[in-house]
Amino acid sequence: MVEPIILKKTLKAYFGYDSFRDGQEETITAALKGQDTLVLLPTGTGKSICYQLTGYLLEGTVVIVSPLLSLMQDQVEQLQLLKEKRVAALNSLLDYSEKEFIIRHLNEYKFLFLSPEMLQNERILAALKQLKISLFTIDEAHCISQWGMDFRPDYLELGKIRAVLGNPLTMALTATANRQVKEDILACLKLDPLQTTQIVHSVDRKNIALVTITCDKDKKEQLLKQVKKLKKPGIIYFSSKKMADDMADFLRKSLAIRVASYHSDLETADRILLQQQFIYDEIDVICATNAFGMGINKKNIRFVIHYHMPASVEAYLQEIGRCGRDGKPSVAILLYEPGDGYIQVRLQENDLPTEAMLEHVYRKNIVLEGSCSVSQQRLLENYLASKIPLAQAKQQLRARVIRKEEQLRYMITYAETKECKRRVLLHYFEEKLNKTVENCCSNCGIDEEIYEIDEKNLENRAFSSVDSWEKILQEMFSLETFKRQD
DNA sequence: CGATAAGCCGATAACGGCTTATCGGTGCTTTATT
């Protein structure tokens, strides 16, 4: 048993903080007792401290499964800033010799980041088997449920991987999970629900006002109106890349603010550049698809607008959770037009194979290339390889389709409800709203002015006339960076 | 659903205007030859 005083001293020594934030100490204490943990803490409460501090107090290497290369790079850099040299990300950004070097020196690292896909690599898995793993961490664990079912099936293999590695002490971390997602995470990792300590804090972010504006063919005008008057910076989400591009142009021309669009068509270098510019307040508004956001650690985002709604309440909460991390009043606005749900239905249609496809593939015993989407093809191949009986496969698929429909339906319920939005949102996570929240939602009524630009004080103008020379230099410097990248 | 592309129509020739069809969103990986 590690005394709380030791924990605090370690926190101060390694991270420089005087006290823990909600949930951190609880999590670390449980892990140090040897308990597997499922940790649900709201965005921006320092989840990484949980596995990092635990790692420092245990012998061996912390292995962290992370969904994005950029996220891995971020975490590596942050640890390096804290003077930790024994840290590496084992991924495709490395060349052959770098990779080999890390694999040969695994036990010299304290923190090792990799993707679920990388864990499928035989050579790497064999090396990890020889390693003393102090803690097996799954960062952004909701990806298991959100992506594992179709988009990134290797997420569903993590349980097997865990078993191969001798079931090391495990910590799964996320900011958004309702009961079903928690069940998915535990089941996938093959964690016993009764033996796993769940540290669950409210997903409610009280400083984010929840607003829905019901539109009638006037979304574009509504968007312009809102973006014009709201305090910046902010993010606007779209469900198409083209739309994100077009609207970025439109807003840039209409409002003379600094707007950029962000989606998967961008080159990696451009993505990094945009993220940096946004973080350093050189961009006011980002028009993005759901590619943007995970790992964006910016405190002062004032609004998140959804031009199109996402496919689930989890995704919605993830996305709106990116504003107001500094605790100041922020607003999440959903621009909703009845029928919007249909876009998501169509988007998801090609994710899962149909029963007809499944039958065809089982009969012919082969998946024909080009006969369906990449995601469908991969899933069909998985079914074929796994030798799951047809009836069972069918049932599983049917369940997944129903699940997606339910998720979307609840999102629509949220959009259309006349009751308190916060209550409806929290209900999805089986939470009750105990006391009333000031500036709660558009149904309870909010004071709109606190989210709007204060014209008199000229606060929040894109370019201030009193820019310090430091800031001007900084901007020149980033321009140079831009040229070089180009 | 809504935006866009493709196809079709009449009619002395190229093209506006119509209907119909299609598509939309997330990321990891890759080892070997000009």
Side-chain angles (χ1 to χ4, degrees), chain A residues 317-348:
Chain A
L317 198 72
Q318 280 275 337
E319 287 167 2
I320 66 173
R322 286 168 192 143
C323 70
R325 292 201 186 174
D326 52 11
K328 292 183 186 165
S330 306
V331 61
I333 301 178
L334 174 63
L335 298 177
Y336 176 70
E337 199 162 302
D340 274 359
Y342 203 77
I343 304 167
Q344 287 300 336
V345 174
R346 296 303 305 264
L347 267 180
Q348 291 178 7

Side-chain angles (χ1 to χ4, degrees), chain A residues 432-468:
Chain A
K432 286 219 163 67
L433 188 61
N434 295 322
K435 47 186 177 184
T436 53
V437 173
E438 205 183 342
N439 290 307
C440 176
C441 70
S442 46
N443 289 343
C444 293
I446 61 163
D447 175 10
E448 290 181 17
E449 275 182 22
I450 61 173
Y451 308 103
E452 296 172 5
I453 297 170
D454 185 347
E455 294 289 351
K456 283 182 206 120
N457 291 332
L458 292 178
E459 175 196 359
N460 215 285
R461 281 222 332 224
F463 296 97
S464 164
S465 53
V466 290
D467 271 355
S468 65

Side-chain angles (χ1 to χ4, degrees), chain A residues 61 102-110 130-132:
Chain A
T61 303
I102 293 174
I103 293 171
R104 292 218 187 90
H105 299 84
L106 275 187
N107 56 6
E108 290 169 26
Y109 292 96
K110 191 74 197 169
Q130 306 300 315
L131 182 69
K132 178 165 177 52

